[in-house]
Amino acid sequence: IAVATGSILFLAQSWSGPNSTLLDAVVAHSQHHISSHAQPIGDELVRPALRLVGLEFSSRPQGTITAATACDVREQRSLHLVMRGNHGPVNVYVMPGQSSERTMESSQPTWRGLVMPVRYGSLAVVGHPRENLDQYATSVRNSLRWRM
């Protein structure tokens, strides 16, 4: 199902597979997510997506958020933020209930991704191979307030 909101296009679909890792699932979702060079969005568009997955921001993360939605990753509701990176869009996922025991990283010529454990689940970031993904992960992780 595709839903257009201004200049942002979201694809609402569940990306999962019985043998996929959590990083595989978010990379697949990121590759199928259509994003344009969207304008920054305000808190009035970010807050509803946060609420749908039981989250709030104690403060807005550093960086420019251009899209925010709740989506399914491996059949569980997750927060999906698209942030403006130095080398293109950076996809950030907060996945309550999706646990990872340690930080995992992977890369290909056109993307790099990481998944790390957070308080009640995992956080993943996917972007251009030259992007500093840790800065996005740290900024979002430090801004989260869990309402669980």
Side-chain angles (χ1 to χ4, degrees):
I1 302 169
V3 180
T5 307
S7 62
I8 303 167
L9 181 65
F10 297 112
L11 292 180
Q13 190 167 4
S14 175
W15 300 101
S16 64
N19 298 317
S20 70
T21 68
L22 190 52
L23 184 55
D24 292 336
V26 295
V27 167
H29 186 97
S30 296
Q31 290 176 338
H32 289 92
H33 179 86
I34 298 172
S35 65
S36 62
H37 297 286
Q39 295 299 311
I41 61 171
D43 290 342
E44 70 281 359
L45 296 176
V46 176
R47 275 193 299 272
L50 288 162
R51 275 191 228 114
L52 284 171
V53 294
L55 299 168
E56 296 176 338
F57 280 147
S58 57
S59 61
R60 185 138 175 150
Q62 292 181 335
T64 303
I65 299 173
T66 59
T69 188
C71 60
D72 291 341
V73 175
R74 289 173 60 182
E75 299 181 10
Q76 290 196 0
R77 185 62 67 197
S78 303
L79 173 67
H80 182 182
L81 301 174
V82 180
M83 301 180 78
R84 187 175 294 147
N86 294 322
H87 303 283
V90 175
N91 292 273
V92 180
Y93 300 86
V94 181
M95 301 165 290
Q98 301 264 7
S99 61
S100 58
E101 295 177 15
R102 60 182 172 76
T103 299
M104 297 177 290
E105 292 192 45
S106 184
S107 64
Q108 294 291 321
T110 58
W111 61 266
R112 185 167 76 92
L114 64 86
V115 173
M116 64 178 54
V118 291
R119 187 171 183 185
Y120 293 109
S122 294
L123 185 142
V125 185
V126 178
H128 189 278
R130 292 187 303 196
E131 202 70 63
N132 180 356
L133 301 183
D134 292 321
Q135 98 183 21
Y136 295 93
T138 299
S139 178
V140 171
R141 183 183 65 226
N142 291 342
S143 298
L144 288 176
R145 185 175 345 182
W146 300 81
R147 300 179 329 157
M148 313 193 114

